[in-house]
Amino acid sequence: DTGVSQDPRHKITKRGQNVTFRCDPISEHNRLYWYRQTLGQGPEFLTYFQNEAQLEKSRLLSDRFSAERPKGSFSTLEIQRTEQGDSAMYLCASSFGTTGDEQFFGPGTRLTVL
Amino acid sequence: RKEVEQDPGPFNVPEGATVAFNCTYSNSASQSFFWYRQDCRKEPKLLMSVYSSGNEDGRFTAQLNRASQYISLLIRDSKLSDSATYLCVVLAEFMDTGRRALTFGSGTRLQVQP
């Protein structure tokens, strides 16, 4: 499968714990995005990488959230001291170059904070 | 006011019916427009782009009215497999970061019944 992959697919954690999610984009795609989606809502933008550079962060991304893309390939999203309000589907998407209008989404990581 | 607004539905229609979804957007600088389809607990997938001249892909027709900031999707001869949530999506480019930002509506749920 050469699409966007995410790991894990599901994560259940207790409030206050740290969690880390991984995204592997389509190999030739230089742009990578993280979104969060809650029930009944469309995906909301969290952060964006072009190659290894994190160029933008949404104000939705509090100080407890950090994302990296160290070699311009896979990316990680870490949430520290999780809260129940962090429960959501975390989606990763990638696109290519200057014409990257079509973003290809991974299957998402569903986070449940108890 | 949300940047992209859609009627959440659900739209319950019989097989073979024609159904239309509408969407309005508030950012007049939006450059590109799309309809994404999202099945329950799955990732969004691009259904079709929307062009100013209107475009058709099989049973699906998309229209854009830039003056009214309005997008529509028409599905003819509905199939059971069309049951999903349809997300209206607009794209704007942020010149400072190069981010091509997708803003999603909350989606319109379609249930096609036998």
Side-chain angles (χ1 to χ4, degrees):
Chain A
D1 185 355
T2 57
V4 179
S5 61
Q6 292 187 245
D7 183 69
R9 296 289 304 276
H10 304 274
K11 179 71 177 178
I12 300 174
T13 191
K14 292 182 179 179
R15 191 173 49 190
Q17 298 294 304
N18 299 344
V19 295
T20 301
F21 310 142
R22 177 179 169 125
C23 170
D24 286 88
I26 294 171
S27 59
E28 62 268 26
H29 285 185
N30 60 342
R31 296 174 181 226
L32 187 147
Y33 304 79
W34 285 97
Y35 294 85
R36 180 171 68 189
Q37 186 175 24
T38 53
L39 194 63
Q41 301 298 317
E44 295 176 295
F45 169 76
L46 292 179
T47 190
Y48 156 63
F49 291 84
Q50 184 165 313
N51 300 310
E52 66 276 7
Q54 186 175 21
L55 297 186
E56 192 166 350
K57 293 169 64 172
S58 163
R59 62 180 179 275
L60 292 175
L61 218 62
S62 76
D63 291 345
R64 297 184 297 105
F65 288 71
S66 62
E68 294 182 344
R69 194 183 184 197
K71 297 181 180 178
S73 56
F74 74 91
S75 175
T76 58
L77 177 69
E78 181 182 15
I79 310 174
Q80 296 182 325
R81 304 181 303 282
T82 52
E83 301 173 356
Q84 288 184 324
D86 297 332
S87 295
M89 174 76 88
Y90 289 84
L91 292 160
C92 175
S94 69
S95 68
F96 176 71
T98 57
T99 60
D101 283 1
E102 182 174 0
Q103 294 183 15
F104 294 83
F105 283 82
T109 295
R110 184 170 296 280
L111 173 66
T112 302
V113 182
L114 302 176
Chain B
R1 183 186 171 193
K2 289 185 177 180
E3 287 189 54
V4 180
E5 297 214 49
Q6 296 181 248
D7 181 341
F11 283 57
N12 295 302
V13 303
E15 270 187 292
T18 295
V19 62
F21 304 141
N22 302 319
C23 167
T24 57
Y25 62 95
S26 60
N27 183 356
S28 59
S30 297
Q31 299 163 322
S32 303
F33 308 88
F34 309 91
W35 284 99
Y36 274 68
R37 170 191 169 132
Q38 187 170 27
D39 292 297
C40 189
R41 304 181 83 85
K42 299 284 190 181
E43 72 272 23
K45 292 186 178 178
L46 180 65
L47 177 67
M48 59 195 303
S49 302
V50 187
Y51 304 117
S52 297
S53 55
N55 51 299
E56 188 173 308
D57 182 2
R59 298 182 293 109
F60 299 83
T61 300
Q63 297 276 356
L64 167 65
N65 184 322
R66 284 188 184 268
S68 301
Q69 297 183 196
Y70 172 92
I71 306 160
S72 66
L73 177 68
L74 184 77
I75 305 175
R76 291 181 299 278
D77 189 22
S78 301
K79 310 290 185 193
L80 293 176
S81 57
D82 293 334
S83 298
T85 295
Y86 291 83
L87 298 164
C88 176
V89 186
V90 304
L91 181 142
E93 182 166 0
F94 292 79
M95 301 307 293
D96 53 345
T97 62
R99 174 166 70 96
R100 298 176 73 82
L102 293 182
T103 301
F104 287 79
S106 297
T108 298
R109 194 155 68 87
L110 172 66
Q111 184 65 49
V112 181
Q113 296 163 337

Coordinates of all heavy atoms in Angstrom, one line a residue, chain A residues 40-110:
Chain A
G40 N -19.2 14.8 14.2 CA -20.1 15.8 13.6 C -19.5 17.0 13.0 O -20.2 17.9 12.6
Q41 N -18.2 17.0 13.0 CA -17.4 18.2 12.5 C -16.5 17.8 11.4 O -16.1 16.6 11.3 CB -16.6 18.9 13.6 CG -17.4 19.4 14.8 CD -18.4 20.4 14.4 OE1 -18.1 21.3 13.6 NE2 -19.6 20.3 14.9
G42 N -16.1 18.7 10.5 CA -15.1 18.4 9.5 C -13.7 18.5 10.2 O -13.6 19.0 11.3
P43 N -12.7 18.0 9.5 CA -11.4 18.1 10.0 C -10.9 19.6 10.2 O -11.3 20.4 9.4 CB -10.5 17.5 8.9 CG -11.5 16.6 8.2 CD -12.8 17.3 8.2
E44 N -10.2 19.8 11.3 CA -9.7 21.2 11.6 C -8.2 21.1 11.5 O -7.5 20.2 12.1 CB -10.1 21.6 13.0 CG -11.6 21.8 13.1 CD -11.9 22.2 14.6 OE1 -11.7 21.3 15.5 OE2 -12.4 23.3 14.8
F45 N -7.6 22.1 10.8 CA -6.2 22.2 10.6 C -5.4 22.4 11.9 O -5.8 23.2 12.8 CB -5.8 23.4 9.7 CG -4.4 23.7 9.6 CD1 -3.5 22.9 8.9 CD2 -3.9 24.8 10.3 CE1 -2.2 23.3 8.8 CE2 -2.5 25.2 10.2 CZ -1.7 24.4 9.5
L46 N -4.3 21.6 12.1 CA -3.5 21.7 13.3 C -2.1 22.3 13.0 O -1.7 23.3 13.5 CB -3.3 20.4 14.0 CG -4.5 19.8 14.7 CD1 -4.1 18.4 15.3 CD2 -5.1 20.7 15.7
T47 N -1.4 21.7 12.0 CA -0.1 22.1 11.7 C 0.3 21.6 10.3 O -0.3 20.7 9.8 CB 0.9 21.7 12.8 OG1 2.2 22.3 12.5 CG2 1.2 20.2 12.7
Y48 N 1.4 22.2 9.7 CA 1.8 22.0 8.4 C 3.3 22.0 8.3 O 4.0 22.8 8.8 CB 1.2 23.1 7.5 CG 1.9 23.4 6.2 CD1 1.9 22.4 5.2 CD2 2.4 24.7 5.9 CE1 2.5 22.7 4.0 CE2 3.0 25.0 4.7 CZ 3.1 24.0 3.8 OH 3.6 24.3 2.5
F49 N 3.8 21.0 7.5 CA 5.2 20.9 7.2 C 5.5 21.0 5.7 O 4.7 20.4 5.0 CB 5.8 19.6 7.7 CG 5.9 19.4 9.2 CD1 4.8 19.0 9.9 CD2 7.0 19.7 9.9 CE1 4.8 18.9 11.3 CE2 7.1 19.6 11.3 CZ 6.0 19.1 12.0
Q50 N 6.5 21.7 5.4 CA 7.0 21.6 4.0 C 8.4 21.0 4.1 O 9.3 21.7 4.7 CB 7.0 22.9 3.3 CG 7.5 22.7 1.8 CD 7.1 24.0 1.0 OE1 6.0 24.5 1.0 NE2 8.1 24.4 0.2
N51 N 8.6 19.8 3.6 CA 9.8 19.0 3.9 C 10.0 18.9 5.5 O 9.0 18.5 6.1 CB 11.0 19.7 3.2 CG 10.8 19.7 1.8 OD1 10.5 18.7 1.1 ND2 11.0 20.9 1.1
E52 N 11.1 19.3 6.0 CA 11.2 19.1 7.5 C 10.8 20.4 8.2 O 10.8 20.4 9.5 CB 12.7 18.7 7.8 CG 13.7 19.8 7.5 CD 14.2 19.8 6.1 OE1 13.6 19.0 5.3 OE2 15.1 20.5 5.8
A53 N 10.5 21.4 7.6 CA 10.2 22.7 8.2 C 8.7 22.8 8.6 O 7.9 22.6 7.7 CB 10.6 23.9 7.3
Q54 N 8.5 23.1 9.9 CA 7.1 23.3 10.4 C 6.8 24.8 10.1 O 7.3 25.6 10.8 CB 7.0 22.9 11.8 CG 5.6 23.0 12.3 CD 5.5 22.6 13.8 OE1 6.4 22.5 14.5 NE2 4.3 22.2 14.2
L55 N 6.0 25.0 9.1 CA 5.8 26.4 8.7 C 4.6 27.1 9.4 O 4.5 28.3 9.3 CB 5.6 26.4 7.2 CG 6.8 26.0 6.4 CD1 6.6 26.2 4.9 CD2 8.1 26.8 6.8
E56 N 3.7 26.3 9.9 CA 2.5 26.9 10.5 C 1.9 26.0 11.5 O 1.9 24.8 11.4 CB 1.5 27.2 9.4 CG 0.4 28.2 9.9 CD -0.4 28.8 8.8 OE1 0.0 28.6 7.6 OE2 -1.5 29.4 9.1
K57 N 1.4 26.7 12.6 CA 0.7 26.0 13.7 C -0.6 26.7 13.9 O -0.6 27.9 14.1 CB 1.5 25.9 14.9 CG 2.8 25.1 14.9 CD 3.7 25.3 16.1 CE 3.0 24.8 17.3 NZ 4.0 24.9 18.5
S58 N -1.7 26.0 14.0 CA -3.0 26.6 14.4 C -3.0 27.0 15.8 O -2.3 26.4 16.7 CB -4.1 25.5 14.1 OG -5.3 25.9 14.8
R59 N -3.8 27.9 16.2 CA -4.0 28.3 17.6 C -4.7 27.2 18.3 O -4.7 27.2 19.6 CB -4.7 29.6 17.7 CG -6.2 29.6 17.2 CD -6.8 30.9 17.4 NE -8.2 31.0 16.8 CZ -8.5 31.2 15.6 NH1 -7.5 31.5 14.7 NH2 -9.7 31.2 15.2
L60 N -5.2 26.2 17.6 CA -5.8 25.0 18.3 C -4.7 24.2 18.9 O -5.0 23.4 19.8 CB -6.6 24.1 17.3 CG -7.8 24.7 16.7 CD1 -8.3 23.7 15.6 CD2 -8.9 24.9 17.7
L61 N -3.5 24.3 18.5 CA -2.4 23.5 18.9 C -1.8 24.2 20.2 O -1.0 25.1 20.1 CB -1.3 23.4 17.8 CG -0.6 22.1 17.7 CD1 -1.6 21.0 17.3 CD2 0.5 22.2 16.6
S62 N -2.2 23.7 21.4 CA -1.7 24.3 22.6 C -0.3 23.9 22.8 O 0.3 23.1 22.1 CB -2.6 23.8 23.8 OG -2.3 22.5 24.1
D63 N 0.3 24.4 23.9 CA 1.7 24.1 24.2 C 1.9 22.6 24.6 O 3.0 22.1 24.6 CB 2.2 24.9 25.4 CG 2.3 26.4 25.1 OD1 2.3 26.7 23.9 OD2 2.4 27.2 26.0
R64 N 0.8 21.9 24.8 CA 0.9 20.4 25.1 C 1.2 19.6 23.9 O 1.5 18.4 23.9 CB -0.3 20.0 25.9 CG -0.6 20.6 27.2 CD -1.8 20.0 27.9 NE -3.0 20.3 27.2 CZ -3.6 19.3 26.5 NH1 -3.2 18.1 26.4 NH2 -4.8 19.6 25.9
F65 N 1.0 20.2 22.7 CA 1.1 19.5 21.4 C 2.4 19.9 20.8 O 2.8 21.1 20.8 CB 0.0 19.9 20.5 CG -1.4 19.4 20.8 CD1 -2.1 19.9 21.9 CD2 -2.0 18.4 20.1 CE1 -3.3 19.4 22.3 CE2 -3.3 17.9 20.4 CZ -3.9 18.4 21.5
S66 N 3.1 18.9 20.3 CA 4.3 19.2 19.5 C 4.3 18.2 18.3 O 4.0 17.1 18.4 CB 5.5 19.1 20.3 OG 5.7 17.8 20.8
A67 N 4.8 18.7 17.2 CA 4.9 17.9 16.0 C 6.3 18.0 15.4 O 6.9 19.1 15.5 CB 3.9 18.3 15.0
E68 N 6.8 17.0 14.8 CA 8.1 17.0 14.2 C 8.1 16.2 12.9 O 7.2 15.3 12.7 CB 9.1 16.3 15.1 CG 9.4 17.0 16.4 CD 10.5 16.3 17.2 OE1 10.8 15.1 16.9 OE2 11.0 17.0 18.1
R69 N 9.0 16.6 12.0 CA 9.2 15.8 10.8 C 10.7 15.9 10.5 O 11.1 16.6 9.6 CB 8.4 16.5 9.6 CG 8.3 15.5 8.4 CD 7.5 16.2 7.3 NE 7.4 15.3 6.2 CZ 7.1 15.6 4.9 NH1 6.9 16.9 4.6 NH2 7.0 14.7 4.0
P70 N 11.5 15.2 11.3 CA 12.9 15.4 11.3 C 13.7 15.2 10.0 O 14.6 15.9 9.8 CB 13.4 14.3 12.4 CG 12.3 13.3 12.5 CD 11.0 14.1 12.2
K71 N 13.3 14.3 9.2 CA 14.0 14.1 8.0 C 13.2 14.4 6.7 O 13.5 14.0 5.6 CB 14.5 12.7 7.9 CG 15.5 12.3 9.0 CD 16.0 10.9 8.9 CE 17.0 10.6 10.0 NZ 17.5 9.2 9.9
G72 N 12.1 15.1 7.0 CA 11.2 15.4 5.8 C 10.4 14.3 5.3 O 9.9 14.4 4.2
S73 N 10.4 13.2 6.1 CA 9.6 12.0 5.6 C 8.5 11.8 6.6 O 7.5 12.5 6.5 CB 10.5 10.8 5.5 OG 11.1 10.5 6.7
F74 N 8.6 10.9 7.5 CA 7.5 10.6 8.5 C 7.4 11.8 9.5 O 8.4 12.6 9.6 CB 7.7 9.3 9.2 CG 8.8 9.3 10.2 CD1 8.5 9.7 11.6 CD2 10.1 9.0 9.9 CE1 9.5 9.7 12.5 CE2 11.1 9.1 10.8 CZ 10.8 9.4 12.1
S75 N 6.3 11.9 10.1 CA 6.1 12.9 11.1 C 5.5 12.3 12.4 O 4.8 11.2 12.3 CB 5.1 14.0 10.6 OG 4.8 14.9 11.6
T76 N 5.7 12.9 13.5 CA 5.1 12.5 14.8 C 4.4 13.7 15.4 O 4.8 14.8 15.2 CB 6.2 12.0 15.8 OG1 7.1 13.0 16.0 CG2 6.9 10.8 15.3
L77 N 3.3 13.3 16.0 CA 2.5 14.3 16.8 C 2.4 13.8 18.2 O 2.0 12.7 18.5 CB 1.1 14.5 16.2 CG 0.1 15.4 16.9 CD1 0.6 16.9 16.8 CD2 -1.3 15.3 16.4
E78 N 2.9 14.6 19.2 CA 2.9 14.2 20.6 C 2.0 15.1 21.3 O 2.0 16.3 21.1 CB 4.3 14.3 21.2 CG 4.3 13.9 22.7 CD 5.7 14.0 23.3 OE1 6.6 14.7 22.8 OE2 5.9 13.4 24.4
I79 N 1.2 14.5 22.2 CA 0.3 15.3 23.1 C 0.8 14.9 24.5 O 0.8 13.8 24.9 CB -1.2 14.9 23.0 CG1 -1.6 15.0 21.5 CG2 -2.0 15.9 23.8 CD1 -3.0 14.5 21.2
Q80 N 1.2 15.9 25.3 CA 1.6 15.7 26.7 C 0.4 16.0 27.6 O -0.4 16.9 27.3 CB 2.8 16.7 27.0 CG 4.0 16.4 26.1 CD 5.2 17.3 26.5 OE1 5.0 18.4 26.8 NE2 6.4 16.7 26.5
R81 N 0.4 15.3 28.7 CA -0.6 15.6 29.8 C -2.0 15.6 29.2 O -2.7 16.6 29.3 CB -0.3 16.9 30.5 CG 1.1 16.9 31.1 CD 1.4 18.2 31.9 NE 1.2 19.4 31.1 CZ 2.1 19.9 30.2 NH1 3.2 19.2 29.9 NH2 1.8 21.0 29.5
T82 N -2.4 14.5 28.5 CA -3.6 14.5 27.8 C -4.8 14.9 28.7 O -4.8 14.6 29.9 CB -3.9 13.1 27.2 OG1 -3.7 12.1 28.2 CG2 -2.9 12.8 26.0
E83 N -5.8 15.5 28.0 CA -7.0 15.9 28.7 C -8.2 15.2 27.9 O -8.0 14.8 26.8 CB -7.2 17.4 28.6 CG -6.1 18.2 29.3 CD -6.2 19.7 29.1 OE1 -7.1 20.1 28.4 OE2 -5.3 20.4 29.7
Q84 N -9.3 15.1 28.6 CA -10.5 14.4 28.0 C -10.9 15.2 26.7 O -11.3 14.6 25.7 CB -11.7 14.3 28.9 CG -11.4 13.3 30.0 CD -12.6 13.1 30.9 OE1 -13.3 14.1 31.2 NE2 -12.9 11.9 31.3
G85 N -10.7 16.5 26.6 CA -11.0 17.3 25.4 C -10.1 17.0 24.3 O -10.4 17.4 23.1
D86 N -9.0 16.2 24.5 CA -8.2 15.8 23.4 C -8.7 14.7 22.6 O -8.2 14.3 21.5 CB -6.8 15.5 23.9 CG -6.1 16.7 24.6 OD1 -6.4 17.8 24.2 OD2 -5.2 16.4 25.5
S87 N -9.7 14.0 23.1 CA -10.3 12.8 22.4 C -10.8 13.3 21.1 O -11.7 14.2 21.0 CB -11.4 12.2 23.3 OG -10.9 11.7 24.5
A88 N -10.4 12.6 20.0 CA -10.7 13.0 18.7 C -10.0 12.0 17.7 O -9.3 11.2 18.1 CB -10.2 14.4 18.4
M89 N -10.3 12.2 16.4 CA -9.6 11.5 15.4 C -8.5 12.4 14.9 O -8.8 13.6 14.6 CB -10.5 11.1 14.2 CG -9.8 10.5 13.1 SD -9.3 8.8 13.4 CE -10.8 8.0 12.8
Y90 N -7.3 12.0 14.9 CA -6.2 12.8 14.4 C -5.8 12.3 13.0 O -5.4 11.1 12.9 CB -5.0 12.7 15.4 CG -5.3 13.5 16.6 CD1 -6.0 12.9 17.7 CD2 -5.0 14.8 16.8 CE1 -6.4 13.6 18.8 CE2 -5.3 15.6 17.9 CZ -6.1 14.9 18.9 OH -6.4 15.6 20.0
L91 N -5.9 13.1 12.0 CA -5.7 12.8 10.6 C -4.5 13.4 10.1 O -4.2 14.6 10.4 CB -6.9 13.3 9.8 CG -8.2 12.6 10.0 CD1 -9.4 13.4 9.5 CD2 -8.3 11.2 9.3
C92 N -3.7 12.7 9.3 CA -2.6 13.2 8.6 C -2.9 13.2 7.2 O -3.6 12.3 6.7 CB -1.4 12.3 8.9 SG 0.1 12.7 8.1
A93 N -2.4 14.2 6.4 CA -2.6 14.3 5.0 C -1.3 14.7 4.4 O -0.5 15.4 5.0 CB -3.7 15.2 4.6
S94 N -1.1 14.3 3.1 CA 0.1 14.8 2.4 C -0.2 15.2 1.0 O -1.3 14.8 0.5 CB 1.2 13.7 2.4 OG 0.9 12.6 1.6
S95 N 0.6 16.1 0.4 CA 0.4 16.5 -0.9 C 1.8 16.8 -1.5 O 2.8 16.9 -0.8 CB -0.5 17.8 -1.0 OG 0.1 18.9 -0.4
F96 N 1.8 17.1 -2.8 CA 3.0 17.2 -3.5 C 3.2 18.6 -4.1 O 2.3 19.1 -4.8 CB 3.2 16.2 -4.6 CG 4.4 16.4 -5.5 CD1 5.6 16.1 -4.9 CD2 4.3 16.9 -6.7 CE1 6.8 16.2 -5.7 CE2 5.5 17.0 -7.5 CZ 6.7 16.7 -7.0
G97 N 4.3 19.3 -3.8 CA 4.7 20.5 -4.5 C 3.8 21.6 -4.6 O 2.9 21.8 -3.8
T98 N 4.0 22.4 -5.6 CA 3.2 23.7 -5.7 C 1.8 23.4 -6.2 O 1.0 24.3 -6.1 CB 3.9 24.6 -6.6 OG1 4.1 24.0 -7.9 CG2 5.3 25.0 -6.1
T99 N 1.6 22.3 -6.7 CA 0.2 22.0 -7.2 C -0.5 21.1 -6.3 O -1.4 20.3 -6.7 CB 0.2 21.4 -8.6 OG1 1.0 20.2 -8.6 CG2 0.9 22.4 -9.6
G100 N -0.1 21.1 -5.0 CA -0.7 20.1 -4.1 C -2.0 20.4 -3.6 O -2.3 20.5 -2.4
D101 N -2.9 20.7 -4.5 CA -4.3 20.9 -4.1 C -4.9 19.7 -3.5 O -5.7 19.8 -2.5 CB -5.1 21.4 -5.3 CG -4.8 22.9 -5.6 OD1 -4.0 23.5 -4.9 OD2 -5.5 23.4 -6.5
E102 N -4.7 18.5 -4.1 CA -5.3 17.3 -3.5 C -4.5 16.8 -2.4 O -3.3 16.5 -2.6 CB -5.5 16.3 -4.6 CG -6.2 15.0 -4.0 CD -6.5 13.9 -5.0 OE1 -6.2 14.1 -6.2 OE2 -7.0 12.9 -4.6
Q103 N -5.1 16.8 -1.2 CA -4.4 16.2 -0.1 C -5.0 14.8 0.1 O -6.2 14.6 0.1 CB -4.7 17.1 1.2 CG -4.0 18.5 1.1 CD -4.2 19.3 2.3 OE1 -4.6 18.8 3.4 NE2 -4.0 20.6 2.2
F104 N -4.0 13.9 0.3 CA -4.4 12.5 0.5 C -4.3 12.2 2.0 O -3.3 12.4 2.6 CB -3.5 11.6 -0.3 CG -3.6 11.7 -1.7 CD1 -2.9 12.7 -2.4 CD2 -4.4 10.8 -2.5 CE1 -3.0 12.9 -3.8 CE2 -4.5 10.9 -3.9 CZ -3.8 12.0 -4.5
F105 N -5.4 11.7 2.5 CA -5.5 11.5 4.0 C -5.1 10.1 4.4 O -5.4 9.1 3.6 CB -6.9 11.8 4.5 CG -7.2 13.2 4.6 CD1 -7.6 14.0 3.4 CD2 -7.1 13.9 5.8 CE1 -7.9 15.3 3.5 CE2 -7.4 15.2 5.9 CZ -7.7 16.0 4.8
G106 N -4.5 9.9 5.5 CA -4.3 8.6 6.1 C -5.6 8.2 6.9 O -6.6 9.0 7.0
P107 N -5.6 7.0 7.4 CA -6.8 6.4 8.0 C -7.1 7.1 9.4 O -8.2 6.9 9.9 CB -6.5 5.0 8.2 CG -5.0 4.9 8.2 CD -4.5 6.0 7.3
G108 N -6.2 7.8 9.9 CA -6.4 8.5 11.2 C -6.0 7.6 12.4 O -5.9 6.4 12.3
T109 N -5.8 8.3 13.5 CA -5.6 7.7 14.8 C -6.7 8.2 15.7 O -6.8 9.4 15.9 CB -4.2 8.1 15.4 OG1 -3.2 7.6 14.6 CG2 -4.1 7.6 16.9
R110 N -7.5 7.3 16.2 CA -8.6 7.7 17.1 C -8.1 7.6 18.5 O -7.7 6.6 19.0 CB -9.8 6.7 16.9 CG -11.0 7.2 17.7 CD -12.2 6.4 17.4 NE -12.7 6.6 16.0 CZ -13.4 7.7 15.6 NH1 -13.7 8.6 16.5 NH2 -13.7 7.8 14.4

